[in-house]
mmCIF file of all heavy atoms in Angstrom:
data_model
loop_
_atom_site.group_PDB
_atom_site.id
_atom_site.type_symbol
_atom_site.label_atom_id
_atom_site.label_comp_id
_atom_site.label_asym_id
_atom_site.label_seq_id
_atom_site.Cartn_x
_atom_site.Cartn_y
_atom_site.Cartn_z
ATOM 1 N N ILE W 28 11.706 -13.447 -22.645
ATOM 2 C CA ILE W 28 12.312 -12.111 -22.672
ATOM 3 C C ILE W 28 13.518 -12.061 -23.609
ATOM 4 O O ILE W 28 14.385 -12.943 -23.584
ATOM 5 C CB ILE W 28 12.725 -11.690 -21.254
ATOM 6 C CG1 ILE W 28 11.478 -11.496 -20.389
ATOM 7 C CG2 ILE W 28 13.563 -10.409 -21.271
ATOM 8 C CD1 ILE W 28 11.769 -11.148 -18.953
ATOM 9 N N LYS W 29 13.570 -11.029 -24.405
ATOM 10 C CA LYS W 29 14.721 -10.787 -25.282
ATOM 11 C C LYS W 29 15.594 -9.700 -24.666
ATOM 12 O O LYS W 29 15.116 -8.619 -24.346
ATOM 13 C CB LYS W 29 14.241 -10.364 -26.674
ATOM 14 C CG LYS W 29 13.478 -11.449 -27.408
ATOM 15 C CD LYS W 29 13.076 -10.998 -28.805
ATOM 16 C CE LYS W 29 12.337 -12.114 -29.531
ATOM 17 N NZ LYS W 29 11.933 -11.693 -30.909
ATOM 18 N N ILE W 30 16.863 -10.003 -24.508
ATOM 19 C CA ILE W 30 17.808 -9.098 -23.853
ATOM 20 C C ILE W 30 18.681 -8.424 -24.906
ATOM 21 O O ILE W 30 19.218 -9.086 -25.806
ATOM 22 C CB ILE W 30 18.695 -9.878 -22.855
ATOM 23 C CG1 ILE W 30 17.815 -10.563 -21.813
ATOM 24 C CG2 ILE W 30 19.694 -8.951 -22.180
ATOM 25 C CD1 ILE W 30 18.584 -11.501 -20.895
ATOM 26 N N SER W 31 18.830 -7.115 -24.799
ATOM 27 C CA SER W 31 19.666 -6.374 -25.744
ATOM 28 C C SER W 31 21.144 -6.595 -25.437
ATOM 29 O O SER W 31 21.506 -7.093 -24.357
ATOM 30 C CB SER W 31 19.343 -4.884 -25.683
ATOM 31 O OG SER W 31 19.803 -4.340 -24.450
ATOM 32 N N GLU W 32 22.000 -6.210 -26.376
ATOM 33 C CA GLU W 32 23.445 -6.355 -26.169
ATOM 34 C C GLU W 32 23.916 -5.520 -24.983
ATOM 35 O O GLU W 32 24.763 -5.951 -24.189
ATOM 36 C CB GLU W 32 24.196 -5.939 -27.435
ATOM 37 C CG GLU W 32 24.008 -6.889 -28.606
ATOM 38 C CD GLU W 32 24.846 -6.483 -29.794
ATOM 39 O OE1 GLU W 32 25.687 -5.560 -29.642
ATOM 40 O OE2 GLU W 32 24.668 -7.059 -30.881
ATOM 41 N N THR W 33 23.373 -4.324 -24.856
ATOM 42 C CA THR W 33 23.745 -3.439 -23.741
ATOM 43 C C THR W 33 23.332 -4.046 -22.410
ATOM 44 O O THR W 33 24.092 -4.024 -21.434
ATOM 45 C CB THR W 33 23.079 -2.057 -23.910
ATOM 46 O OG1 THR W 33 23.463 -1.499 -25.166
ATOM 47 C CG2 THR W 33 23.506 -1.115 -22.784
ATOM 48 N N GLU W 34 22.117 -4.591 -22.364
ATOM 49 C CA GLU W 34 21.640 -5.221 -21.138
ATOM 50 C C GLU W 34 22.461 -6.457 -20.798
ATOM 51 O O GLU W 34 22.790 -6.697 -19.632
ATOM 52 C CB GLU W 34 20.162 -5.587 -21.297
ATOM 53 C CG GLU W 34 19.237 -4.379 -21.363
ATOM 54 C CD GLU W 34 17.842 -4.733 -21.818
ATOM 55 O OE1 GLU W 34 17.661 -5.807 -22.437
ATOM 56 O OE2 GLU W 34 16.922 -3.931 -21.581
ATOM 57 N N GLN W 35 22.802 -7.255 -21.813
ATOM 58 C CA GLN W 35 23.597 -8.457 -21.567
ATOM 59 C C GLN W 35 24.980 -8.100 -21.047
ATOM 60 O O GLN W 35 25.527 -8.783 -20.157
ATOM 61 C CB GLN W 35 23.723 -9.276 -22.854
ATOM 62 C CG GLN W 35 24.368 -10.645 -22.644
ATOM 63 C CD GLN W 35 23.578 -11.518 -21.711
ATOM 64 O OE1 GLN W 35 22.408 -11.821 -21.957
ATOM 65 N NE2 GLN W 35 24.193 -11.950 -20.610
ATOM 66 N N LYS W 36 25.551 -7.046 -21.575
ATOM 67 C CA LYS W 36 26.860 -6.586 -21.101
ATOM 68 C C LYS W 36 26.780 -6.182 -19.641
ATOM 69 O O LYS W 36 27.686 -6.481 -18.841
ATOM 70 C CB LYS W 36 27.342 -5.408 -21.955
ATOM 71 C CG LYS W 36 28.726 -4.902 -21.584
ATOM 72 C CD LYS W 36 29.151 -3.762 -22.512
ATOM 73 C CE LYS W 36 30.534 -3.246 -22.118
ATOM 74 N NZ LYS W 36 30.971 -2.131 -23.002
ATOM 75 N N TRP W 37 25.684 -5.511 -19.269
ATOM 76 C CA TRP W 37 25.503 -5.101 -17.872
ATOM 77 C C TRP W 37 25.336 -6.328 -16.983
ATOM 78 O O TRP W 37 25.909 -6.398 -15.887
ATOM 79 C CB TRP W 37 24.281 -4.185 -17.752
ATOM 80 C CG TRP W 37 24.093 -3.623 -16.376
ATOM 81 C CD1 TRP W 37 24.627 -2.482 -15.866
ATOM 82 C CD2 TRP W 37 23.308 -4.208 -15.320
ATOM 83 N NE1 TRP W 37 24.247 -2.309 -14.559
ATOM 84 C CE2 TRP W 37 23.439 -3.361 -14.192
ATOM 85 C CE3 TRP W 37 22.522 -5.347 -15.217
ATOM 86 C CZ2 TRP W 37 22.804 -3.624 -12.983
ATOM 87 C CZ3 TRP W 37 21.895 -5.619 -14.018
ATOM 88 C CH2 TRP W 37 22.032 -4.755 -12.914
ATOM 89 N N ILE W 38 24.573 -7.318 -17.433
ATOM 90 C CA ILE W 38 24.392 -8.557 -16.664
ATOM 91 C C ILE W 38 25.733 -9.266 -16.485
ATOM 92 O O ILE W 38 26.057 -9.748 -15.389
ATOM 93 C CB ILE W 38 23.382 -9.492 -17.373
ATOM 94 C CG1 ILE W 38 21.981 -8.871 -17.341
ATOM 95 C CG2 ILE W 38 23.371 -10.871 -16.713
ATOM 96 C CD1 ILE W 38 20.954 -9.631 -18.171
ATOM 97 N N ASN W 39 26.530 -9.313 -17.532
ATOM 98 C CA ASN W 39 27.824 -10.001 -17.483
ATOM 99 C C ASN W 39 28.811 -9.340 -16.527
ATOM 100 O O ASN W 39 29.769 -9.977 -16.072
ATOM 101 C CB ASN W 39 28.444 -10.073 -18.880
ATOM 102 C CG ASN W 39 27.647 -10.964 -19.823
ATOM 103 O OD1 ASN W 39 26.841 -11.786 -19.378
ATOM 104 N ND2 ASN W 39 27.853 -10.789 -21.123
ATOM 105 N N ALA W 40 28.567 -8.065 -16.209
ATOM 106 C CA ALA W 40 29.453 -7.358 -15.268
ATOM 107 C C ALA W 40 29.286 -7.879 -13.844
ATOM 108 O O ALA W 40 30.100 -7.548 -12.965
ATOM 109 C CB ALA W 40 29.181 -5.860 -15.319
ATOM 110 N N ASN W 41 28.237 -8.672 -13.619
ATOM 111 C CA ASN W 41 28.013 -9.336 -12.329
ATOM 112 C C ASN W 41 27.978 -8.348 -11.165
ATOM 113 O O ASN W 41 28.659 -8.524 -10.152
ATOM 114 C CB ASN W 41 29.091 -10.401 -12.077
ATOM 115 C CG ASN W 41 28.698 -11.363 -10.973
ATOM 116 O OD1 ASN W 41 27.517 -11.618 -10.750
ATOM 117 N ND2 ASN W 41 29.692 -11.893 -10.283
ATOM 118 N N HIS W 42 27.148 -7.322 -11.298
ATOM 119 C CA HIS W 42 26.971 -6.344 -10.227
ATOM 120 C C HIS W 42 26.319 -6.997 -9.003
ATOM 121 O O HIS W 42 25.502 -7.899 -9.128
ATOM 122 C CB HIS W 42 26.090 -5.182 -10.692
ATOM 123 C CG HIS W 42 26.651 -4.419 -11.841
ATOM 124 N ND1 HIS W 42 27.676 -3.506 -11.707
ATOM 125 C CD2 HIS W 42 26.326 -4.435 -13.168
ATOM 126 C CE1 HIS W 42 27.958 -2.977 -12.881
ATOM 127 N NE2 HIS W 42 27.157 -3.528 -13.789
ATOM 128 N N ILE W 44 23.659 -6.184 -6.361
ATOM 129 C CA ILE W 44 22.558 -5.222 -6.244
ATOM 130 C C ILE W 44 22.005 -5.253 -4.830
ATOM 131 O O ILE W 44 21.480 -6.262 -4.369
ATOM 132 C CB ILE W 44 21.434 -5.555 -7.243
ATOM 133 C CG1 ILE W 44 22.000 -5.669 -8.652
ATOM 134 C CG2 ILE W 44 20.335 -4.490 -7.188
ATOM 135 C CD1 ILE W 44 21.042 -6.286 -9.646
ATOM 136 N N TYR W 46 19.242 -4.068 -2.472
ATOM 137 C CA TYR W 46 17.900 -3.491 -2.412
ATOM 138 C C TYR W 46 17.641 -2.959 -1.010
ATOM 139 O O TYR W 46 17.941 -3.617 -0.014
ATOM 140 C CB TYR W 46 16.845 -4.545 -2.754
ATOM 141 C CG TYR W 46 16.741 -4.852 -4.235
ATOM 142 C CD1 TYR W 46 17.474 -5.886 -4.807
ATOM 143 C CD2 TYR W 46 15.896 -4.107 -5.056
ATOM 144 C CE1 TYR W 46 17.371 -6.176 -6.162
ATOM 145 C CE2 TYR W 46 15.787 -4.384 -6.412
ATOM 146 C CZ TYR W 46 16.527 -5.421 -6.956
ATOM 147 O OH TYR W 46 16.422 -5.692 -8.296
ATOM 148 N N VAL W 73 12.964 -10.616 -10.763
ATOM 149 C CA VAL W 73 13.955 -9.942 -11.608
ATOM 150 C C VAL W 73 15.313 -10.615 -11.462
ATOM 151 O O VAL W 73 15.982 -10.949 -12.454
ATOM 152 C CB VAL W 73 14.059 -8.447 -11.244
ATOM 153 C CG1 VAL W 73 15.187 -7.778 -12.031
ATOM 154 C CG2 VAL W 73 12.739 -7.732 -11.494
ATOM 155 N N CYS W 74 15.728 -10.833 -10.225
ATOM 156 C CA CYS W 74 17.055 -11.390 -9.956
ATOM 157 C C CYS W 74 17.174 -12.830 -10.448
ATOM 158 O O CYS W 74 18.200 -13.221 -11.017
ATOM 159 C CB CYS W 74 17.350 -11.324 -8.460
ATOM 160 S SG CYS W 74 17.365 -9.639 -7.810
ATOM 161 N N THR W 76 15.357 -14.321 -12.839
ATOM 162 C CA THR W 76 15.238 -14.409 -14.293
ATOM 163 C C THR W 76 16.568 -14.155 -14.980
ATOM 164 O O THR W 76 16.949 -14.861 -15.923
ATOM 165 C CB THR W 76 14.192 -13.402 -14.804
ATOM 166 O OG1 THR W 76 12.921 -13.691 -14.203
ATOM 167 C CG2 THR W 76 14.058 -13.468 -16.318
ATOM 168 N N TYR W 77 17.287 -13.150 -14.497
ATOM 169 C CA TYR W 77 18.551 -12.771 -15.135
ATOM 170 C C TYR W 77 19.772 -13.327 -14.400
ATOM 171 O O TYR W 77 20.905 -13.026 -14.775
ATOM 172 C CB TYR W 77 18.658 -11.243 -15.207
ATOM 173 C CG TYR W 77 17.513 -10.587 -15.940
ATOM 174 C CD1 TYR W 77 16.653 -9.707 -15.274
ATOM 175 C CD2 TYR W 77 17.273 -10.841 -17.285
ATOM 176 C CE1 TYR W 77 15.600 -9.087 -15.931
ATOM 177 C CE2 TYR W 77 16.223 -10.227 -17.958
ATOM 178 C CZ TYR W 77 15.385 -9.355 -17.276
ATOM 179 O OH TYR W 77 14.342 -8.751 -17.930
ATOM 180 N N LEU W 79 20.925 -12.605 -11.356
ATOM 181 C CA LEU W 79 21.664 -11.482 -10.792
ATOM 182 C C LEU W 79 22.041 -11.765 -9.342
ATOM 183 O O LEU W 79 21.394 -12.546 -8.652
ATOM 184 C CB LEU W 79 20.826 -10.200 -10.864
ATOM 185 C CG LEU W 79 20.324 -9.792 -12.248
ATOM 186 C CD1 LEU W 79 19.424 -8.564 -12.146
ATOM 187 C CD2 LEU W 79 21.494 -9.514 -13.188
ATOM 188 N N ASP W 105 21.355 0.302 -3.840
ATOM 189 C CA ASP W 105 21.410 0.478 -5.291
ATOM 190 C C ASP W 105 20.009 0.612 -5.887
ATOM 191 O O ASP W 105 19.856 1.131 -6.994
ATOM 192 C CB ASP W 105 22.119 -0.716 -5.944
ATOM 193 C CG ASP W 105 23.543 -0.868 -5.446
ATOM 194 O OD1 ASP W 105 24.312 0.101 -5.571
ATOM 195 O OD2 ASP W 105 23.876 -1.945 -4.907
ATOM 196 N N ALA W 106 19.019 0.133 -5.150
ATOM 197 C CA ALA W 106 17.653 0.166 -5.666
ATOM 198 C C ALA W 106 16.653 0.180 -4.518
ATOM 199 O O ALA W 106 16.896 -0.390 -3.451
ATOM 200 C CB ALA W 106 17.398 -1.029 -6.570
ATOM 201 N N VAL W 120 17.696 8.997 -8.824
ATOM 202 C CA VAL W 120 17.216 7.680 -9.252
ATOM 203 C C VAL W 120 16.505 7.735 -10.595
ATOM 204 O O VAL W 120 16.098 8.807 -11.056
ATOM 205 C CB VAL W 120 16.246 7.082 -8.207
ATOM 206 C CG1 VAL W 120 16.939 6.879 -6.870
ATOM 207 C CG2 VAL W 120 14.987 7.944 -8.060
ATOM 208 N N LEU W 121 16.362 6.557 -11.195
ATOM 209 C CA LEU W 121 15.513 6.355 -12.366
ATOM 210 C C LEU W 121 14.328 5.494 -11.933
ATOM 211 O O LEU W 121 14.467 4.640 -11.052
ATOM 212 C CB LEU W 121 16.297 5.639 -13.472
ATOM 213 C CG LEU W 121 17.545 6.351 -14.007
ATOM 214 C CD1 LEU W 121 18.297 5.432 -14.967
ATOM 215 C CD2 LEU W 121 17.178 7.655 -14.691
ATOM 216 N N TYR W 122 13.188 5.713 -12.562
ATOM 217 C CA TYR W 122 11.977 4.993 -12.192
ATOM 218 C C TYR W 122 11.650 3.883 -13.193
ATOM 219 O O TYR W 122 11.756 4.079 -14.408
ATOM 220 C CB TYR W 122 10.774 5.944 -12.146
ATOM 221 C CG TYR W 122 10.718 6.829 -10.928
ATOM 222 C CD1 TYR W 122 11.410 8.038 -10.886
ATOM 223 C CD2 TYR W 122 9.962 6.463 -9.823
ATOM 224 C CE1 TYR W 122 11.346 8.856 -9.769
ATOM 225 C CE2 TYR W 122 9.892 7.278 -8.706
ATOM 226 C CZ TYR W 122 10.585 8.466 -8.685
ATOM 227 O OH TYR W 122 10.529 9.284 -7.580
ATOM 228 N N THR W 123 11.229 2.740 -12.680
ATOM 229 C CA THR W 123 10.626 1.728 -13.533
ATOM 230 C C THR W 123 9.157 2.109 -13.748
ATOM 231 O O THR W 123 8.681 3.110 -13.220
ATOM 232 C CB THR W 123 10.674 0.336 -12.883
ATOM 233 O OG1 THR W 123 9.810 0.325 -11.722
ATOM 234 C CG2 THR W 123 12.091 -0.022 -12.447
ATOM 235 N N GLN W 124 8.455 1.287 -14.492
ATOM 236 C CA GLN W 124 7.007 1.498 -14.599
ATOM 237 C C GLN W 124 6.351 1.179 -13.249
ATOM 238 O O GLN W 124 6.940 0.519 -12.389
ATOM 239 C CB GLN W 124 6.421 0.626 -15.709
ATOM 240 C CG GLN W 124 6.579 -0.868 -15.482
ATOM 241 C CD GLN W 124 6.024 -1.682 -16.634
ATOM 242 O OE1 GLN W 124 4.906 -2.191 -16.563
ATOM 243 N NE2 GLN W 124 6.808 -1.813 -17.701
ATOM 244 N N MET W 229 9.737 0.841 -8.867
ATOM 245 C CA MET W 229 11.051 0.632 -8.279
ATOM 246 C C MET W 229 11.918 1.812 -8.679
ATOM 247 O O MET W 229 11.781 2.349 -9.786
ATOM 248 C CB MET W 229 11.667 -0.684 -8.763
ATOM 249 C CG MET W 229 10.966 -1.909 -8.229
ATOM 250 S SD MET W 229 11.933 -3.417 -8.456
ATOM 251 C CE MET W 229 10.751 -4.645 -7.883
ATOM 252 N N MET W 230 12.780 2.254 -7.780
ATOM 253 C CA MET W 230 13.679 3.374 -8.052
ATOM 254 C C MET W 230 15.116 2.841 -8.027
ATOM 255 O O MET W 230 15.540 2.216 -7.062
ATOM 256 C CB MET W 230 13.507 4.474 -7.003
ATOM 257 C CG MET W 230 12.090 4.993 -6.890
ATOM 258 S SD MET W 230 11.923 6.518 -5.906
ATOM 259 C CE MET W 230 12.798 6.085 -4.406
ATOM 260 N N ILE W 231 15.854 3.116 -9.101
ATOM 261 C CA ILE W 231 17.168 2.513 -9.304
ATOM 262 C C ILE W 231 18.212 3.597 -9.570
ATOM 263 O O ILE W 231 17.910 4.619 -10.194
ATOM 264 C CB ILE W 231 17.110 1.521 -10.476
ATOM 265 C CG1 ILE W 231 16.139 0.372 -10.111
ATOM 266 C CG2 ILE W 231 18.490 0.968 -10.815
ATOM 267 C CD1 ILE W 231 15.760 -0.512 -11.258
ATOM 268 N N ARG W 232 19.423 3.377 -9.083
ATOM 269 C CA ARG W 232 20.499 4.358 -9.236
ATOM 270 C C ARG W 232 20.642 4.798 -10.705
ATOM 271 O O ARG W 232 20.482 3.994 -11.631
ATOM 272 C CB ARG W 232 21.818 3.789 -8.717
ATOM 273 C CG ARG W 232 22.178 2.453 -9.286
ATOM 274 C CD ARG W 232 23.359 1.823 -8.567
ATOM 275 N NE ARG W 232 24.625 2.434 -8.945
ATOM 276 C CZ ARG W 232 25.814 2.054 -8.475
ATOM 277 N NH1 ARG W 232 25.884 1.078 -7.563
ATOM 278 N NH2 ARG W 232 26.923 2.628 -8.879
ATOM 279 N N LYS W 233 20.977 6.042 -10.909
ATOM 280 C CA LYS W 233 20.921 6.660 -12.238
ATOM 281 C C LYS W 233 21.896 6.048 -13.239
ATOM 282 O O LYS W 233 21.660 6.104 -14.447
ATOM 283 C CB LYS W 233 21.186 8.168 -12.123
ATOM 284 C CG LYS W 233 20.035 8.930 -11.496
ATOM 285 C CD LYS W 233 20.262 10.424 -11.561
ATOM 286 C CE LYS W 233 20.185 10.930 -12.982
ATOM 287 N NZ LYS W 233 20.245 12.396 -13.071
ATOM 288 N N ASP W 234 23.008 5.481 -12.761
ATOM 289 C CA ASP W 234 23.995 4.939 -13.688
ATOM 290 C C ASP W 234 23.705 3.490 -14.074
ATOM 291 O O ASP W 234 24.521 2.836 -14.727
ATOM 292 C CB ASP W 234 25.403 5.050 -13.104
ATOM 293 C CG ASP W 234 25.553 4.348 -11.772
ATOM 294 O OD1 ASP W 234 24.538 4.116 -11.098
ATOM 295 O OD2 ASP W 234 26.696 4.021 -11.394
ATOM 296 N N TRP W 235 22.523 2.976 -13.687
ATOM 297 C CA TRP W 235 22.119 1.627 -14.060
ATOM 298 C C TRP W 235 20.802 1.629 -14.844
ATOM 299 O O TRP W 235 19.822 0.984 -14.453
ATOM 300 C CB TRP W 235 21.968 0.749 -12.827
ATOM 301 C CG TRP W 235 23.258 0.275 -12.222
ATOM 302 C CD1 TRP W 235 24.518 0.538 -12.641
ATOM 303 C CD2 TRP W 235 23.381 -0.554 -11.056
ATOM 304 N NE1 TRP W 235 25.441 -0.060 -11.832
ATOM 305 C CE2 TRP W 235 24.784 -0.743 -10.847
ATOM 306 C CE3 TRP W 235 22.485 -1.141 -10.188
ATOM 307 C CZ2 TRP W 235 25.275 -1.503 -9.792
ATOM 308 C CZ3 TRP W 235 22.969 -1.903 -9.142
ATOM 309 C CH2 TRP W 235 24.356 -2.085 -8.943
ATOM 310 N N PRO W 236 20.722 2.324 -15.963
ATOM 311 C CA PRO W 236 19.475 2.312 -16.747
ATOM 312 C C PRO W 236 19.142 0.922 -17.277
ATOM 313 O O PRO W 236 17.977 0.620 -17.545
ATOM 314 C CB PRO W 236 19.765 3.291 -17.890
ATOM 315 C CG PRO W 236 21.266 3.306 -18.006
ATOM 316 C CD PRO W 236 21.763 3.153 -16.609
ATOM 317 N N GLU W 237 20.161 0.074 -17.410
ATOM 318 C CA GLU W 237 19.922 -1.290 -17.880
ATOM 319 C C GLU W 237 19.044 -2.070 -16.906
ATOM 320 O O GLU W 237 18.189 -2.862 -17.326
ATOM 321 C CB GLU W 237 21.256 -2.028 -18.083
ATOM 322 C CG GLU W 237 22.158 -1.417 -19.141
ATOM 323 C CD GLU W 237 23.048 -0.301 -18.592
ATOM 324 O OE1 GLU W 237 22.898 0.040 -17.391
ATOM 325 O OE2 GLU W 237 23.877 0.223 -19.358
ATOM 326 N N LEU W 238 19.256 -1.858 -15.615
ATOM 327 C CA LEU W 238 18.437 -2.555 -14.631
ATOM 328 C C LEU W 238 16.990 -2.072 -14.694
ATOM 329 O O LEU W 238 16.058 -2.856 -14.445
ATOM 330 C CB LEU W 238 19.008 -2.367 -13.231
ATOM 331 C CG LEU W 238 18.266 -3.098 -12.095
ATOM 332 C CD1 LEU W 238 18.159 -4.595 -12.390
ATOM 333 C CD2 LEU W 238 18.951 -2.862 -10.750
ATOM 334 N N VAL W 239 16.801 -0.812 -15.036
ATOM 335 C CA VAL W 239 15.435 -0.279 -15.207
ATOM 336 C C VAL W 239 14.736 -0.997 -16.366
ATOM 337 O O VAL W 239 13.609 -1.485 -16.224
ATOM 338 C CB VAL W 239 15.467 1.242 -15.464
ATOM 339 C CG1 VAL W 239 14.057 1.757 -15.758
ATOM 340 C CG2 VAL W 239 16.051 1.978 -14.273
ATOM 341 N N SER W 240 15.392 -1.080 -17.514
ATOM 342 C CA SER W 240 14.772 -1.708 -18.683
ATOM 343 C C SER W 240 14.586 -3.202 -18.470
ATOM 344 O O SER W 240 13.561 -3.774 -18.894
ATOM 345 C CB SER W 240 15.604 -1.448 -19.945
ATOM 346 O OG SER W 240 16.930 -1.955 -19.797
ATOM 347 N N LEU W 241 15.526 -3.851 -17.786
ATOM 348 C CA LEU W 241 15.384 -5.275 -17.497
ATOM 349 C C LEU W 241 14.206 -5.527 -16.552
ATOM 350 O O LEU W 241 13.463 -6.503 -16.712
ATOM 351 C CB LEU W 241 16.678 -5.812 -16.878
ATOM 352 C CG LEU W 241 17.876 -5.945 -17.822
ATOM 353 C CD1 LEU W 241 19.159 -6.196 -17.030
ATOM 354 C CD2 LEU W 241 17.651 -7.059 -18.832
ATOM 355 N N THR W 242 14.038 -4.647 -15.574
ATOM 356 C CA THR W 242 12.918 -4.772 -14.632
ATOM 357 C C THR W 242 11.592 -4.541 -15.338
ATOM 358 O O THR W 242 10.618 -5.273 -15.112
ATOM 359 C CB THR W 242 13.088 -3.781 -13.470
ATOM 360 O OG1 THR W 242 14.325 -4.033 -12.789
ATOM 361 C CG2 THR W 242 11.942 -3.900 -12.484
ATOM 362 N N ASP W 243 11.533 -3.545 -16.202
ATOM 363 C CA ASP W 243 10.298 -3.270 -16.940
ATOM 364 C C ASP W 243 9.909 -4.452 -17.835
ATOM 365 O O ASP W 243 8.709 -4.741 -18.020
ATOM 366 C CB ASP W 243 10.451 -2.009 -17.791
ATOM 367 C CG ASP W 243 10.288 -0.733 -16.981
ATOM 368 O OD1 ASP W 243 9.697 -0.807 -15.878
ATOM 369 O OD2 ASP W 243 10.735 0.332 -17.442
ATOM 370 N N LYS W 244 10.897 -5.145 -18.379
ATOM 371 C CA LYS W 244 10.599 -6.316 -19.203
ATOM 372 C C LYS W 244 9.962 -7.428 -18.374
ATOM 373 O O LYS W 244 9.103 -8.171 -18.872
ATOM 374 C CB LYS W 244 11.874 -6.820 -19.885
ATOM 375 C CG LYS W 244 12.350 -5.922 -21.017
ATOM 376 C CD LYS W 244 13.612 -6.442 -21.671
ATOM 377 C CE LYS W 244 14.018 -5.520 -22.830
ATOM 378 N NZ LYS W 244 15.251 -5.984 -23.517
ATOM 379 N N ILE W 245 10.371 -7.535 -17.113
ATOM 380 C CA ILE W 245 9.739 -8.497 -16.213
ATOM 381 C C ILE W 245 8.284 -8.117 -15.974
ATOM 382 O O ILE W 245 7.380 -8.948 -16.074
ATOM 383 C CB ILE W 245 10.492 -8.567 -14.868
ATOM 384 C CG1 ILE W 245 11.918 -9.070 -15.068
ATOM 385 C CG2 ILE W 245 9.732 -9.432 -13.865
ATOM 386 C CD1 ILE W 245 12.025 -10.485 -15.532
ATOM 387 N N PHE W 246 8.051 -6.850 -15.641
ATOM 388 C CA PHE W 246 6.682 -6.383 -15.394
ATOM 389 C C PHE W 246 5.788 -6.624 -16.603
ATOM 390 O O PHE W 246 4.622 -7.007 -16.461
ATOM 391 C CB PHE W 246 6.682 -4.902 -15.026
ATOM 392 C CG PHE W 246 7.326 -4.587 -13.708
ATOM 393 C CD1 PHE W 246 7.808 -3.306 -13.441
ATOM 394 C CD2 PHE W 246 7.460 -5.544 -12.724
ATOM 395 C CE1 PHE W 246 8.398 -2.998 -12.223
ATOM 396 C CE2 PHE W 246 8.036 -5.251 -11.500
ATOM 397 C CZ PHE W 246 8.507 -3.976 -11.249
ATOM 398 N N ASP W 247 6.327 -6.386 -17.803
ATOM 399 C CA ASP W 247 5.543 -6.575 -19.023
ATOM 400 C C ASP W 247 5.252 -8.053 -19.300
ATOM 401 O O ASP W 247 4.259 -8.374 -19.950
ATOM 402 C CB ASP W 247 6.288 -5.986 -20.223
ATOM 403 C CG ASP W 247 6.325 -4.465 -20.208
ATOM 404 O OD1 ASP W 247 5.426 -3.865 -19.586
ATOM 405 O OD2 ASP W 247 7.259 -3.885 -20.795
#
Side-chain angles (χ1 to χ4, degrees):
I28 293 177
K29 295 182 179 180
I30 301 173
S31 70
E32 291 184 8
T33 303
E34 291 167 340
Q35 188 61 59
K36 183 178 179 180
W37 185 88
I38 293 172
N39 293 342
N41 196 29
H42 299 283
I44 307 167
Y46 283 92
V73 174
C74 299
T76 300
Y77 303 117
L79 304 176
D105 300 304
V120 298
L121 300 173
Y122 284 85
T123 67
Q124 62 182 261
M229 291 195 186
M230 303 192 309
I231 297 168
R232 52 190 284 181
K233 288 187 69 173
D234 58 339
W235 284 0
E237 297 86 356
L238 182 55
V239 175
S240 59
L241 288 168
T242 301
D243 280 340
K244 287 180 178 180
I245 297 294
F246 293 158
D247 289 335

